[in-house]
Amino acid sequence: MNKNIIKNTMITFSFIVSALAVTSVCTSCQENDPPQDDNISVIDAETSTETESGTESTTEISAETIITTTEESTETESETTTTETAVSIELMTTSTIPTTTAIDYQEISVPMGTQAEVTKPPVTEYEVPPEQYMTTRSTEAPTEPPVTTEPPTAGTYVGSSPNSDFYQSRLAIAGDSIAYGFNAYGYIPNTHNIATESLSMWNRDYFTFSTGMGLVDTVEYVNPEILYMSLGMNDVNMSTPEEFAEEYKSTIYEIRNRVPDIYIVVAGITPVTDTSGFVSNETIRAFNTALENMVGEIYSNHVYYFDAYSIVADPETLELRSECTGGDGIHLVSSCYYEFLNALYDMLDSTPVKSNIEKTELGLQ
């Protein structure tokens, strides 16, 4: 009996000791568990010595404190970054950009003078039907001009018209390298030449002449009473006939706004030989048709169309006549310019140009 009591007492005591041991282990495990929120640092050692309720209160305060500290740290880092960036910019500014000399960049451009706004000038009524002012293409062979062994000198009047000297002394030529032939072969003086190679309607604002000015400004400066314009060979591969004619019309209006009493002759583009390969004569004729229509739309006795194409074209093939080519199938020899002037003066005789110029010179209009 006594043995059983002692045995039971020993078992009970052993059970209590085991329970206390398990409780001790669990308590130890709880104290070593990591914080549930990995973003919050471990609380200070002094805070953990408080009571259980105090520890919970202190934990909340400490978390707020830690979060606040984190925000302040972020702001500080931002300020630091901003400061570093500013320093970096300052260093770059002082190290890479010269401060001793200020560079003044100026745009380089060709002087073009002053360009007035383009407006349609007042149209003077025709005194005779306008069709009398326009030449038409003919299939008849042109009359062969007299053969000249030497080009004429400036001031030499050519043509069968009795008014040749009147027209030629008042004539200026504007245009491209084909137009330049009038001056190159001595038909007009240098002071009446407003032509140069490569000039076209699409690039005319990029060229200057001996005056140091552009096309329209130079025409105004020379102030001719008759202006023969010959452009287009440099446009036929760069634009359409309609675009070309529209730009041509705008240029005519601009010139007439500057020089209201001027008489403008719009020359057709001359043909090329069948071996030139530069452009087809069909294309040239399309551009000329657009030019002729444009002059008809302007409908002014100050503007005329001149069919230069037919004067130097073979009447059968409509190609540039072989005796007219200067060797490249495009440019012309001296005798062709004699033909132009001879036909031009005859055409002007059928217009009131001479009588109107005389009235203007006498102050009668």
Side-chain angles (χ1 to χ4, degrees):
M1 177 89 147
N2 291 333
K3 290 182 180 179
N4 290 334
I5 291 172
I6 294 171
K7 182 178 181 181
N8 290 336
T9 300
M10 292 294 294
I11 292 172
T12 301
F13 179 76
S14 176
F15 176 81
I16 291 171
V17 172
S18 300
L20 290 174
V22 171
T23 302
S24 175
V25 171
C26 291
T27 303
S28 175
C29 290
Q30 282 184 345
E31 289 178 355
N32 292 318
D33 282 342
Q36 295 180 355
D37 188 352
D38 293 336
N39 296 325
I40 300 177
S41 302
V42 176
I43 300 172
D44 206 58
E46 294 180 359
T47 307
S48 62
T49 60
E50 302 291 336
T51 59
E52 184 174 355
S53 59
T55 302
E56 291 177 359
S57 175
T58 306
T59 302
E60 293 178 2
I61 295 173
S62 300
E64 291 177 359
T65 304
I66 293 167
I67 292 172
T68 303
T69 305
T70 304
E71 291 177 352
E72 291 176 352
S73 175
T74 303
E75 290 176 359
T76 304
E77 289 177 0
S78 176
E79 292 174 358
T80 303
T81 304
T82 304
T83 304
E84 291 176 353
T85 304
V87 171
S88 176
I89 292 173
E90 182 180 356
L91 289 174
M92 185 172 65
T93 303
T94 56
S95 61
T96 61
I97 300 178
T99 57
T100 55
T101 304
I103 302 175
D104 184 15
Y105 292 98
Q106 296 181 351
E107 182 179 355
I108 300 174
S109 60
V110 177
M112 295 183 292
T114 57
Q115 297 293 328
E117 182 180 355
V118 177
T119 57
K120 185 173 181 179
V123 177
T124 307
E125 294 296 330
Y126 279 105
E127 298 178 9
V128 294
E131 55 268 16
Q132 295 187 22
Y133 290 162
M134 299 183 187
T135 60
T136 56
R137 297 188 183 91
S138 173
T139 57
E140 298 179 3
T143 303
E144 291 293 330
V147 178
T148 55
T149 56
E150 295 182 1
T153 58
T156 301
Y157 306 122
V158 300
S160 58
S161 168
N163 301 310
S164 295
D165 57 343
F166 179 90
Y167 298 130
Q168 196 157 329
S169 63
R170 293 164 173 81
L171 177 69
I173 306 292
D176 52 25
S177 57
I178 294 177
Y180 176 69
F182 286 99
N183 176 246
Y185 291 120
Y187 289 97
I188 61 168
N190 291 334
T191 53
H192 289 194
N193 177 63
I194 316 173
T196 186
E197 63 180 7
S198 302
L199 183 68
S200 66
M201 274 299 162
W202 68 269
N203 69 6
R204 70 173 178 86
D205 291 332
Y206 299 99
F207 282 81
T208 56
F209 299 87
S210 59
T211 60
M213 297 180 287
L215 176 64
V216 176
D217 289 330
T218 301
V219 171
E220 182 181 15
Y221 176 81
V222 174
N223 194 27
E225 291 168 292
I226 303 172
L227 179 67
Y228 181 97
M229 297 184 68
S230 175
L231 296 96
M233 192 62 77
N234 299 310
D235 291 274
V236 291
N237 292 321
M238 300 297 294
S239 64
T240 66
E242 293 75 21
E243 293 170 342
F244 172 65
E246 189 63 28
E247 184 64 27
Y248 214 125
K249 180 168 66 174
S250 177
T251 303
I252 290 172
Y253 285 163
E254 191 172 356
I255 291 173
R256 286 209 57 212
N257 285 329
R258 307 282 194 89
V259 191
D261 294 329
I262 197 170
Y263 291 87
I264 300 175
V265 176
V266 178
I269 307 169
T270 53
V272 296
T273 62
D274 57 351
T275 58
S276 73
F278 178 74
V279 65
S280 71
N281 284 310
E282 183 179 1
T283 298
I284 292 177
R285 290 194 294 271
F287 273 72
N288 285 340
T289 298
L291 275 184
E292 190 170 3
N293 292 338
M294 177 269 294
V295 171
E297 291 172 2
I298 292 177
Y299 196 76
S300 169
N301 65 359
H302 279 262
V303 185
Y304 306 95
Y305 178 76
F306 178 68
D307 187 9
Y309 183 101
S310 296
I311 294 172
V312 293
D314 185 292
E316 295 182 359
T317 64
L318 300 182
E319 311 286 346
L320 179 64
R321 300 200 320 263
S322 58
E323 65 270 23
C324 286
T325 178
D328 61 359
I330 299 174
H331 295 90
L332 310 173
V333 296
S334 174
S335 60
C336 294
Y337 294 93
Y338 179 95
E339 294 185 58
F340 288 145
L341 292 177
N342 187 58
L344 174 63
Y345 299 155
D346 286 345
M347 186 201 80
L348 291 175
D349 279 343
S350 67
T351 73
V353 168
K354 181 176 182 293
S355 62
N356 287 344
I357 289 176
E358 290 173 334
K359 291 177 183 178
T360 301
E361 290 176 347
L362 293 174
L364 299 177
Q365 67 174 19

